[in-house]
Amino acid sequence: MQPGATDIEYGEPFNKAFDQIRSGIDTAADKFNEIVDRANGHKWLLGPLAMWWIKDHLDDVRHGLDSVLDRVDYALEHQLPVLSLINISFRWVNEVKNPISDLSFATTEPANENLAKWSGDAASAYNAKAGKQKAAVDESVTKAEFISQWLFKIAKANVDYVVELAKIVTGLAGKLAQAAVDAASLIDLLWAVDALAKAVGDLVTAGLNTLLKIGQRFIDALGNVRDIATQVGDHSKLPGGQWPEAVRG
């Protein structure tokens, strides 16, 4: 998480990617149907063998689209939860870490000038308790930062996933739109369908491989849940999970 960054900086590209995905899916579906209709309109000239060949290639295109649509459906189902996760991550920083960190100096700063002049056993007891207070504050800051970063890594992996998915969908829409133009004439129809099937196959394969790598980052982040449990369960500076006895009034 970059210093000074906000949840809006990550939420906006996330939502923009979904807008691109929805638009791309609509375009891809329209252009695919346009190519199918164009082939069916020439079937009496093409003959059964050519139509079988076209259908076989368009089936490959459809399978590629379906494999991407499966990822799209999953992403759409998790759009709001991921946005919430991004928000929660930043709230851990802004509403927990930052306010508590302000207390780090205050816990060891005497409340008045008389306390600063203390000496002997009273001063030693005060300083010991103040030290425990500061340690508890600093530990809480560390825990808040750790949890925020953990949540952010999960959220960031989801954002990267959707942005990459939007690139794939936009690319597919572009290939289908170009194929619809290239297939305008009967002479170019077979060539356009053949080129489309190859282009979609390459694009989907490369795209899904990238999504797999991003998904592994998400899994790795989730795997750190043990570290979260360790952080939350470590009470070395928070005895019994409670804040040390207050030393200032």
Side-chain angles (χ1 to χ4, degrees), residues 75-96:
L76 288 171
E77 290 175 2
H78 293 80
Q79 182 177 7
L80 291 180
V82 171
L83 286 172
S84 177
L85 195 63
I86 295 171
N87 178 262
I88 292 172
S89 173
F90 279 91
R91 288 183 65 184
W92 267 96
V93 172
N94 297 326
E95 298 179 20
V96 180

Side-chain angles (χ1 to χ4, degrees), residues 63-114:
H63 291 325
L65 290 174
D66 286 343
S67 64
V68 173
L69 285 174
D70 286 341
R71 273 74 176 179
V72 169
D73 289 341
Y74 180 84
L76 288 171
E77 290 175 2
H78 293 80
Q79 182 177 7
L80 291 180
V82 171
L83 286 172
S84 177
L85 195 63
I86 295 171
N87 178 262
I88 292 172
S89 173
F90 279 91
R91 288 183 65 184
W92 267 96
V93 172
N94 297 326
E95 298 179 20
V96 180
K97 176 193 171 185
N98 292 345
I100 292 179
S101 64
D102 290 337
L103 298 175
S104 183
F105 174 76
T107 54
T108 54
E109 181 68 8
N112 55 59
E113 294 182 2
N114 291 330

Side-chain angles (χ1 to χ4, degrees), residues 35-202:
I35 295 169
V36 171
D37 290 342
R38 191 159 296 161
N40 288 332
H42 294 299
K43 64 182 179 181
W44 62 280
L45 288 173
L46 291 167
L49 184 61
M51 284 301 296
W52 173 86
W53 184 90
I54 290 174
K55 180 181 182 302
D56 184 62
H57 281 61
L58 289 180
D59 281 345
D60 289 341
V61 174
R62 185 190 296 275
H63 291 325
L65 290 174
D66 286 343
S67 64
V68 173
L69 285 174
D70 286 341
R71 273 74 176 179
V72 169
D73 289 341
Y74 180 84
L76 288 171
E77 290 175 2
H78 293 80
Q79 182 177 7
L80 291 180
V82 171
L83 286 172
S84 177
L85 195 63
I86 295 171
N87 178 262
I88 292 172
S89 173
F90 279 91
R91 288 183 65 184
W92 267 96
V93 172
N94 297 326
E95 298 179 20
V96 180
K97 176 193 171 185
N98 292 345
I100 292 179
S101 64
D102 290 337
L103 298 175
S104 183
F105 174 76
T107 54
T108 54
E109 181 68 8
N112 55 59
E113 294 182 2
N114 291 330
L115 289 178
K117 298 176 181 178
W118 276 10
S119 61
D121 293 342
S124 297
Y126 176 87
N127 291 331
K129 290 182 178 181
K132 291 179 181 179
Q133 284 276 295
K134 186 179 188 308
V137 168
D138 294 344
E139 182 68 7
S140 296
V141 170
T142 300
K143 291 180 187 296
E145 173 66 14
F146 187 92
I147 293 172
S148 176
Q149 286 288 352
W150 180 70
L151 292 171
F152 181 74
K153 286 178 183 178
I154 295 174
K156 183 66 165 55
N158 277 277
V159 172
D160 291 346
Y161 186 95
V162 172
V163 169
E164 183 61 31
L165 186 57
K167 292 179 183 178
I168 297 172
V169 171
T170 300
L172 288 173
K175 296 296 182 184
L176 282 154
Q178 185 60 51
V181 172
D182 295 340
S185 69
L186 176 61
I187 296 176
D188 293 328
L189 178 61
L190 295 178
W191 173 84
V193 170
D194 185 45
L196 175 64
K198 292 178 180 177
V200 168
D202 292 343

